[in-house]
Amino acid sequence: YDYLSDRAGARLLASMFNLLKPGGKLWVANFAPGIADVGYMEGVMDWWLIYRDAPGMMRLAGLANLPAAEVAQTRTFAETENNIVFLEVVKA
């Protein structure tokens, strides 16, 4: 997701959600803004990403226009170092 625009990310999210069975979980990961190694990643590795925080990941879920009746839960969380933000969507 680090290379996808919000529009493309939302479309992909909707497509993947449609493949879930009831009770299935979808996780999408994205590098968070302000990570410690961003200077190295961009300056040395020439690795330019689209960074998203928790509200940005929730925005993707909103843009995907998922059917509300089919969504049991939507949440975000980060791994212990707070470098990667996850969006979790559970199908009802």
Side-chain angles (χ1 to χ4, degrees), residues 4-87:
L4 299 178
S5 67
D6 282 355
R7 183 176 176 196
R11 283 195 322 249
L12 180 57
L13 180 67
S15 295
M16 291 188 298
F17 182 80
N18 287 333
L19 296 173
L20 289 177
K21 294 180 180 180
K25 291 182 182 180
L26 172 63
W27 280 13
V28 174
N30 207 115
F31 273 103
I35 60 174
D37 296 326
V38 69
Y40 181 81
M41 289 167 51
E42 293 177 356
V44 176
M45 298 172 61
D46 196 26
W47 192 18
W48 299 86
L49 304 177
I50 297 171
Y51 301 93
R52 292 186 177 91
D53 54 11
M57 295 299 277
M58 291 300 283
R59 184 172 51 251
L60 288 177
L63 292 171
N65 292 320
L66 303 176
E70 293 182 30
V71 177
Q73 180 182 357
T74 303
R75 71 180 182 115
T76 60
F77 61 95
E79 44 77 40
T80 57
E81 300 298 321
N82 292 313
N83 291 316
I84 299 175
V85 176
F86 295 88
L87 170 68

